[in-house]
Amino acid sequence: MKKKVILAILVIFLIAFVPLFVLKDAEFGGSDDAGSTVVEEVDSSYEPWATPIFEKLIGGELPGEVESLLFCLQTGIGVGVIAFFMGRFVERKKWMKDEN
Protein backbone atom coordinates (compact mmCIF):
# COMPACT_ATOMS: atom_id res chain seq x y z
CA MET A 1 0.00 0.00 0.00
CA LYS A 2 2.76 2.44 0.94
CA LYS A 3 4.59 1.78 -2.34
CA LYS A 4 1.45 2.60 -4.31
CA VAL A 5 1.05 5.94 -2.52
CA ILE A 6 4.70 6.88 -3.08
CA LEU A 7 4.44 5.85 -6.74
CA ALA A 8 1.25 7.92 -7.16
CA ILE A 9 2.92 10.98 -5.62
CA LEU A 10 5.92 10.52 -7.91
CA VAL A 11 3.68 10.26 -10.98
CA ILE A 12 1.80 13.40 -9.94
CA PHE A 13 5.04 15.37 -9.62
CA LEU A 14 6.25 14.07 -12.99
CA ILE A 15 3.00 15.10 -14.66
CA ALA A 16 3.29 18.55 -13.10
CA PHE A 17 6.97 19.29 -13.70
CA VAL A 18 8.00 17.46 -16.90
CA PRO A 19 6.16 19.97 -19.13
CA LEU A 20 8.16 22.79 -17.51
CA PHE A 21 11.37 21.39 -18.91
CA VAL A 22 9.97 20.03 -22.19
CA LEU A 23 8.08 23.19 -23.27
CA LYS A 24 10.68 25.86 -22.43
CA ASP A 25 9.77 28.19 -25.30
CA ALA A 26 5.98 27.90 -24.95
CA GLU A 27 4.18 31.24 -24.87
CA PHE A 28 1.03 31.74 -22.84
CA GLY A 29 -0.56 35.04 -21.87
CA GLY A 30 -2.29 35.99 -18.67
CA SER A 31 -3.12 38.82 -16.34
CA ASP A 32 0.49 39.06 -15.13
CA ASP A 33 1.67 39.69 -18.68
CA ALA A 34 -1.08 42.23 -19.28
CA GLY A 35 -0.18 44.04 -16.04
CA SER A 36 3.50 44.23 -16.91
CA THR A 37 2.61 45.63 -20.33
CA VAL A 38 0.59 48.42 -18.71
CA VAL A 39 3.43 49.17 -16.27
CA GLU A 40 5.85 49.48 -19.20
CA GLU A 41 3.46 51.89 -20.93
CA VAL A 42 3.17 54.06 -17.80
CA ASP A 43 6.84 53.98 -16.75
CA SER A 44 9.23 52.61 -19.36
CA SER A 45 12.22 52.83 -16.98
CA TYR A 46 10.68 50.42 -14.43
CA GLU A 47 12.73 47.28 -13.73
CA PRO A 48 11.38 44.36 -11.67
CA TRP A 49 13.29 43.86 -8.42
CA ALA A 50 12.68 40.10 -8.16
CA THR A 51 12.55 37.10 -10.49
CA PRO A 52 10.33 34.06 -9.79
CA ILE A 53 12.31 31.00 -8.64
CA PHE A 54 10.85 28.58 -11.19
CA GLU A 55 11.63 30.98 -14.04
CA LYS A 56 15.27 30.99 -12.95
CA LEU A 57 15.33 27.18 -12.81
CA ILE A 58 13.84 26.56 -16.27
CA GLY A 59 15.40 29.58 -17.94
CA GLY A 60 12.16 31.14 -19.17
CA GLU A 61 8.59 31.99 -18.25
CA LEU A 62 6.21 29.47 -16.75
CA PRO A 63 3.21 28.61 -18.91
CA GLY A 64 -0.06 30.05 -17.60
CA GLU A 65 -1.53 26.61 -17.02
CA VAL A 66 1.41 25.65 -14.81
CA GLU A 67 1.06 28.86 -12.80
CA SER A 68 -2.61 27.99 -12.29
CA LEU A 69 -1.66 24.46 -11.28
CA LEU A 70 0.83 25.72 -8.69
CA PHE A 71 -1.73 28.21 -7.35
CA CYS A 72 -4.35 25.46 -7.02
CA LEU A 73 -1.82 23.17 -5.35
CA GLN A 74 -0.95 25.91 -2.86
CA THR A 75 -4.64 26.51 -2.20
CA GLY A 76 -5.30 22.80 -1.70
CA ILE A 77 -2.45 22.45 0.79
CA GLY A 78 -3.66 25.49 2.72
CA VAL A 79 -7.23 24.23 2.85
CA GLY A 80 -5.98 20.82 3.97
CA VAL A 81 -3.99 22.32 6.83
CA ILE A 82 -6.89 24.50 7.95
CA ALA A 83 -9.36 21.59 7.73
CA PHE A 84 -6.99 19.37 9.72
CA PHE A 85 -6.71 21.83 12.60
CA MET A 86 -10.43 22.61 12.58
CA GLY A 87 -11.13 18.88 12.75
CA ARG A 88 -8.71 18.53 15.66
CA PHE A 89 -10.50 21.32 17.57
CA VAL A 90 -13.91 19.69 16.99
CA GLU A 91 -12.59 16.31 18.15
CA ARG A 92 -10.99 17.91 21.22
CA LYS A 93 -14.39 19.31 22.23
CA LYS A 94 -15.94 15.83 21.84
CA TRP A 95 -13.19 14.24 23.95
CA MET A 96 -13.60 16.88 26.67
CA LYS A 97 -17.39 16.21 26.78
CA ASP A 98 -16.75 12.45 27.12
CA GLU A 99 -14.34 13.00 30.02
CA ASN A 100 -16.90 14.99 32.04
Side-chain angles (χ1 to χ4, degrees):
M1 179 70 178
K2 194 172 187 178
K3 288 182 182 180
K4 288 182 181 180
V5 172
I6 292 172
L7 182 64
I9 291 171
L10 181 64
V11 168
I12 289 168
F13 277 106
L14 287 174
I15 289 172
F17 290 109
V18 166
L20 294 177
F21 299 104
V22 175
L23 302 173
K24 286 185 180 179
D25 296 328
E27 292 185 28
F28 299 95
S31 62
D32 292 340
D33 294 333
S36 61
T37 303
V38 171
V39 169
E40 287 177 8
E41 289 175 5
V42 173
D43 183 10
S44 60
S45 65
Y46 175 78
E47 291 185 28
W49 53 272
T51 305
I53 295 170
F54 282 129
E55 288 183 9
K56 285 183 182 178
L57 290 175
I58 65 171
E61 279 194 29
L62 286 173
E65 290 83 0
V66 176
E67 287 180 359
S68 296
L69 169 75
L70 293 175
F71 180 75
C72 290
L73 183 65
Q74 176 185 355
T75 304
I77 292 169
V79 167
V81 169
I82 291 170
F84 172 78
F85 284 108
M86 288 180 70
R88 294 284 294 185
F89 290 136
V90 168
E91 286 297 315
R92 183 182 294 171
K93 283 184 181 180
K94 288 181 183 177
W95 292 336
M96 293 179 92
K97 281 184 181 178
D98 292 341
E99 288 179 4
N100 294 330

